[in-house]
């Protein structure tokens, strides 16, 4: 039985979840939940037992010093809660962790147990995938669900995918079978600049989440970080004529596909968001003080085929997750001598796109840590 003595009754709570790994290209999804937790000062009230779900040879613990005393942090999934003030107060339950190595059904059941005890009204799972999308255009974000009624009422896509999936797809299906409304929001990350962080994709997910739950999210420095990220990728792309030509091809394909969206619902959504951000009464503020009673508890040159991108956190490619919509397709040009401008960065705090290195085109299975783009 789940004990939640330190958590008061929540107001219209929505659970927002993201998991590092296969479903988190560019760390865009986990970065979005981390942003919410940071901006609204979330308070952790529970953590799943790492021994039950993680292979520590795959997700290793980290050791650190606390005033000269060595301590170990184990990989796990943590739940925190934030109370949001303003004209329409409500609470969010934030779930942030790592895709589990084993016992996925038990993992989902444990999260649903928390959702039931907290009275969660809806679960929103964030994900990011690699796709044929140019970095110079707005990041495509699609909302999908397995519930036909929910798809109609919330203007979402009903997923029809069949094939390999990650924890995002499994958790969404578990919610559906448990009778909990669940939505997945997917951001498409350019496969030629997949290394984290990707603040532009994180920003796009947060904007879509705003629209979904009708809540203004403080963005802090994220818009400026997104502009700086795009400028950095622009500069790297300009140094290679083949990359620049490939990006132009993606831009033309994207502009053609988006032409019908240049009016109608797309413009209406942007205008509504603009008005919401100008309305001071719509500002969502964190609740005053702590309300928990007990808190102790880089670029790659365009390949000859759509590449198999390797590296931790690369995320699934288009069409490899059941909650994922297909990304816009555009075939890259045939370069005479492809090379790789992607450079691995530290997973914790990478600095952004990096310089050249040699490419590889490994043959991958969909369940690998870095599935195909």
């Amino acid at each position: 039985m789940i004990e939640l003595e330190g958590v008061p009754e929540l107001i219209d709570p929505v659970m927002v979840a993201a998991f590092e790994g296969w479903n988190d290209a560019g760390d865009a999804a986990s970065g979005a939940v981390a942003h919410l937790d940071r901006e609204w000062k979330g308070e952790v009230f529970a953590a799943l037992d790492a021994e039950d779900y993680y292979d520590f040879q795959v997700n290793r613990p980290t050791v650190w010093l606390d005033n000269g005393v060595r301590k170990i942090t184990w990989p796990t999934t943590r739940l925190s809660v934030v109370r949001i003030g303003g004209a329409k107060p409500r609470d969010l339950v934030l779930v942030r962790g790592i895709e589990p190595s084993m016992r996925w059904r038990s993992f989902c059941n444990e999260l649903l147990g928390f959702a039931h005890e907290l009275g969660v009204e809806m679960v929103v799972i964030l994900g990011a995938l690699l796709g044929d999308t140019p970095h110079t255009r707005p990041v495509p974000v699609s909302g999908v669900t397995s519930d036909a009624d929910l798809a109609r009422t919330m203007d979402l896509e009903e997923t029809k995918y069949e094939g390999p999936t990650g924890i995002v797809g499994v958790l969404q299906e578990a919610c559906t079978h448990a009778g909990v409304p669940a939505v997945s929001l997917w951001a498409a990350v350019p496969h030629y600049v997949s290394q984290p962080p990707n603040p532009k994709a994180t920003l796009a997910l947060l904007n879509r989440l705003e629209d979904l739950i009708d809540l203004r999210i403080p963005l802090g420095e994220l818009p400026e970080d997104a502009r700086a990220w795009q400028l950095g990728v622009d500069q790297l792309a300009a140094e290679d004529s083949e990359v620049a030509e490939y990006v132009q091809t993606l831009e033309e394909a994207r502009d053609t596909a988006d032409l019908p969206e240049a009016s109608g619902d797309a413009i209406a959504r942007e205008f509504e968001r603009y008005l919401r951000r100008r309305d001071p009464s719509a500002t969502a503020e964190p609740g005053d003080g702590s309300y928990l009673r007990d808190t102790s508890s880089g670029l790659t040159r365009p390949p000859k085929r759509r590449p198999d991108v390797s590296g931790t956190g690369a995320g699934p490619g288009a069409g490899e997750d059941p909650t994922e919509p297909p990304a816009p397709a555009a075939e890259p040009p045939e370069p005479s001598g492809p090379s790789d401008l992607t450079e691995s960065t530290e997973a914790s705090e990478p600095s952004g796109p990096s310089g050249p290195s040699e490419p590889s085109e490994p043959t991958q299975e969909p369940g690998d840590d870095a599935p195909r783009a």
Side-chain angles (χ1 to χ4, degrees), residues 7 43 97 102 107 117 127 130 133 140 164 233 250 294 300 322 366:
V7 183
E43 299 185 50
M102 62 194 81
F107 180 87
E117 292 295 326
L130 299 177
T133 182
V233 180
L250 293 178
D294 180 9
T300 56

Side-chain angles (χ1 to χ4, degrees), residues 235-274:
Q235 293 172 343
L236 288 175
E239 296 172 1
D240 190 303
S241 59
E242 290 181 354
V243 172
E245 183 180 351
Y246 179 52
V247 171
Q248 183 178 2
T249 301
L250 293 178
E251 290 173 340
E252 292 171 353
R254 173 70 183 278
D255 293 344
T256 300
D258 285 354
L259 189 59
E261 293 290 328
S263 60
D265 291 344
I267 294 178
R269 284 194 298 269
E270 289 300 319
F271 186 62
E272 288 172 0
R273 183 182 296 121
Y274 168 77

Side-chain angles (χ1 to χ4, degrees), residues 12-330:
D12 301 330
V14 172
M15 178 177 281
V16 182
F19 304 95
E20 299 173 16
W22 204 75
N23 300 129
D24 193 24
D27 289 356
S30 59
V33 174
H35 177 88
L36 296 175
D37 189 73
R38 181 171 57 253
E39 290 294 324
W40 280 323
K41 298 178 175 60
E43 299 185 50
V44 175
F45 65 88
L48 305 191
D49 190 341
E51 294 278 352
D52 291 340
Y53 304 116
Y54 295 102
D55 180 347
F56 298 138
Q57 290 183 321
V58 177
N59 298 290
R60 293 186 177 274
T62 57
V63 62
W64 54 287
L65 293 175
D66 181 15
N67 294 325
V69 178
R70 294 175 67 83
K71 295 187 176 181
I72 294 178
T73 299
W74 297 92
T76 189
T77 294
R78 293 179 173 84
L79 292 86
S80 58
V81 63
V82 295
R83 173 155 289 167
I84 304 166
K88 297 179 179 179
R90 80 176 315 162
D91 298 323
L92 295 183
V93 178
L94 305 179
V95 179
R96 183 186 177 200
I98 306 169
E99 183 177 65
S101 307
M102 62 194 81
R103 302 185 182 93
W104 284 20
R105 286 174 292 186
S106 297
F107 180 87
C108 293
N109 287 337
E110 189 165 353
L111 290 180
L112 284 172
F114 281 107
H116 176 74
E117 292 295 326
L118 294 168
V120 166
E121 298 182 346
M122 182 171 66
V123 175
V124 181
I125 315 166
L126 307 182
L129 54 93
L130 299 177
D132 292 330
T133 182
H135 72 278
T136 53
R137 296 294 185 266
V139 176
V141 178
S142 296
V144 293
T145 180
S146 300
D147 187 323
D149 293 334
L150 194 62
R152 285 192 297 270
T153 57
M154 302 193 73
D155 191 25
L156 302 168
E157 298 178 36
E158 185 180 357
T159 179
K160 300 296 185 182
Y161 172 83
E162 295 178 336
T165 186
I167 193 61
V168 171
V170 173
L171 179 56
Q172 178 165 321
E173 289 306 303
C175 291
T176 300
H177 290 300
V180 179
V183 175
S184 294
L185 300 181
W186 286 93
V189 172
H191 67 81
Y192 58 90
V193 56
S194 60
Q195 71 273 16
N198 189 321
K200 186 173 181 178
T202 295
L203 179 61
L205 281 170
L206 292 174
N207 284 335
R208 186 68 175 87
L209 180 64
E210 258 192 346
D211 296 338
L212 184 70
I213 63 176
D214 191 24
L215 183 69
R216 179 176 174 182
I217 297 173
L219 299 177
E221 298 180 357
L222 197 54
E224 183 59 35
D225 292 342
R227 284 189 289 269
W229 177 87
Q230 180 169 326
L231 179 60
V233 180
D234 285 342
Q235 293 172 343
L236 288 175
E239 296 172 1
D240 190 303
S241 59
E242 290 181 354
V243 172
E245 183 180 351
Y246 179 52
V247 171
Q248 183 178 2
T249 301
L250 293 178
E251 290 173 340
E252 292 171 353
R254 173 70 183 278
D255 293 344
T256 300
D258 285 354
L259 189 59
E261 293 290 328
S263 60
D265 291 344
I267 294 178
R269 284 194 298 269
E270 289 300 319
F271 186 62
E272 288 172 0
R273 183 182 296 121
Y274 168 77
L275 292 179
R276 183 166 57 244
R277 289 197 169 278
R278 285 177 57 89
D279 182 7
S281 65
T283 303
E285 299 293 341
D288 296 332
S290 168
Y291 68 94
L292 293 184
R293 293 193 291 273
D294 180 9
T295 59
S296 59
S297 44
L299 283 170
T300 56
R301 186 191 296 263
K304 295 183 179 179
R305 297 181 301 276
R306 288 185 64 185
D308 289 341
V309 181
S310 60
T312 302
E320 290 193 349
D321 191 280
T323 57
E324 162 201 328

